Amino acid sequence: MHPANAELITRFYQAFQQLDAEAMCRCYAADVHFSDPVFTDLRGQDAGDMWRMLCARAKDFSLTFDGVAADEHSGTARWIATYVFSQTGNTVVNRIEASFRFRDGKIIEHRDRFDLWRWSSQALGFKGALLGWTPLVQSAIRAQAAKGLAAFQAGR
């Protein structure tokens, strides 16, 4: 166990619990690489802006995390985000497995894994449950998320 890197992960999620995107971003290296099933390849400022957007738009949000573990180079955690998806008003409970890589006391890589079909079933309701497993719907989810991030960045 590497206490400083484990504390860095803990600090990241504690900031997220408070919807403090700036504190989250301070945990990242300037050239961080983030990926998850929706935002598949965000780097640097784009990764930080994703968190800024999600924190700014969060509605009825709560987060729990556990399983924080880290060594000198990498780490892991589990987290659960519960929130209302603004486009449908549906409540989502998203269970995520996170992995990290570190450099110079910062997160240089952050990968979140979750079941996009399960997420779409909750967020989109019947349509997501019926079609959320298809590449067409998953691509549409990714495109909509990218469009939302671009609009957020343009409005800053």
Side-chain angles (χ1 to χ4, degrees):
M1 191 72 147
H2 190 276
N5 287 339
E7 202 281 324
L8 181 62
I9 294 171
T10 298
R11 191 168 60 238
F12 180 86
Y13 287 115
Q14 287 174 336
F16 199 3
Q17 286 175 321
Q18 302 300 313
L19 298 174
D20 185 347
E22 296 310 317
M24 294 169 71
C25 292
R26 285 192 294 274
C27 296
Y28 278 174
D31 59 343
V32 68
H33 179 221
F34 174 87
S35 65
D36 74 7
V38 175
F39 294 98
T40 59
D41 184 26
L42 296 178
R43 296 176 186 273
Q45 185 71 34
D46 290 341
D49 284 346
M50 177 207 55
W51 293 120
R52 289 177 182 97
M53 176 184 74
L54 294 176
C55 287
R57 294 181 178 172
K59 189 173 178 186
D60 297 327
F61 177 84
S62 67
L63 180 136
T64 60
F65 68 96
D66 64 15
V68 173
D71 62 25
E72 185 179 340
H73 304 287
S74 62
T76 58
R78 293 181 303 268
W79 57 285
I80 301 170
T82 303
Y83 57 94
V84 172
F85 185 61
S86 61
Q87 294 177 8
T88 61
N90 293 341
T91 298
V92 173
V93 179
N94 200 12
R95 300 174 192 286
I96 298 123
E97 299 283 332
S99 61
F100 304 90
R101 285 190 323 116
F102 309 106
R103 183 184 69 217
D104 300 328
K106 299 282 187 175
I107 297 167
I108 187 66
E109 185 178 302
H110 178 180
R111 296 185 185 275
D112 281 345
R113 291 174 308 284
F114 60 88
D115 185 332
L116 187 53
W117 184 14
R118 184 175 188 278
W119 178 89
S120 68
S121 296
Q122 294 176 72
L124 305 176
F126 180 73
K127 176 185 172 188
L130 186 63
L131 299 172
W133 61 272
T134 65
L136 182 66
V137 171
Q138 291 188 359
S139 291
I141 291 167
R142 290 181 187 109
Q144 184 66 30
K147 183 179 174 182
L149 180 57
F152 177 81
Q153 289 173 317
R156 288 187 55 164

